[in-house]
Amino acid sequence: MTPIALIGGAACKSTEDFVTIAKTLDKAAHTVGVNFIGGYSALVQKGMTLADERLIRSLPEALSRTEYVC
């Protein structure tokens, strides 16, 4: 899956927006019967955008509110 920070960069204005994406992905995983969805990540090896930072700050909340997103 594409790193979510790239997708969320256009739409997410807060860490809670990224948590909403995580919860949606979690629901999709449960619905189709998979036990893992990867890609809740950011490409930061060459620096961080604001979206990357928001995603990283959302990780504790996203992990506490989902079962399948990592």
Side-chain angles (χ1 to χ4, degrees):
M1 192 171 179
T2 297
I4 293 301
L6 294 176
I7 296 167
C12 296
K13 305 302 180 205
S14 68
T15 57
E16 187 58 37
D17 291 339
F18 278 104
V19 172
T20 300
I21 290 175
K23 289 172 27 182
T24 301
L25 291 171
D26 194 61
K27 183 177 178 182
H30 180 72
T31 299
V32 299
V34 299
N35 61 3
F36 176 83
I37 292 182
Y40 193 80
S41 61
L43 301 172
V44 297
Q45 64 272 23
K46 293 185 178 181
M48 269 199 317
T49 66
L50 183 56
D52 295 330
E53 183 178 348
R54 286 179 179 150
L55 179 127
I56 290 168
R57 291 183 183 276
S58 78
L59 283 170
E61 184 71 17
L63 291 171
S64 74
R65 295 171 62 181
T66 60
E67 293 181 44
Y68 304 102
V69 175
C70 291

